[in-house]
Amino acid sequence: MSAANDKMTREERLAAKLRENLRRRKTQTREMRESGADGVSKPDSER
């Protein structure tokens, strides 16, 4: 039964990391919008 507990703990850790990553990405996107930055995409003239 410890294997089931270990797996659940691992799944919980992964879920927490995913939530943390999502929050960080949302914050970065919000900051880019507020600062007026275009992000990583290049204008068509430079391609």
Side-chain angles (χ1 to χ4, degrees), residues 22-37:
L22 181 61
R23 283 189 206 111
R24 187 173 61 244
R25 289 175 57 194
K26 283 184 175 182
T27 302
Q28 287 174 346
T29 302
R30 195 174 303 123
E31 288 174 355
M32 285 193 314
R33 283 187 192 152
E34 289 175 359
S35 68

Side-chain angles (χ1 to χ4, degrees), residues 4-26:
N5 289 339
D6 290 342
K7 184 177 180 183
M8 190 62 148
T9 302
R10 179 178 180 268
E11 288 176 358
E12 289 173 353
R13 281 197 319 266
L14 290 174
K17 289 288 186 180
L18 285 171
R19 285 191 300 271
E20 178 184 335
N21 187 24
L22 181 61
R23 283 189 206 111
R24 187 173 61 244
R25 289 175 57 194
K26 283 184 175 182

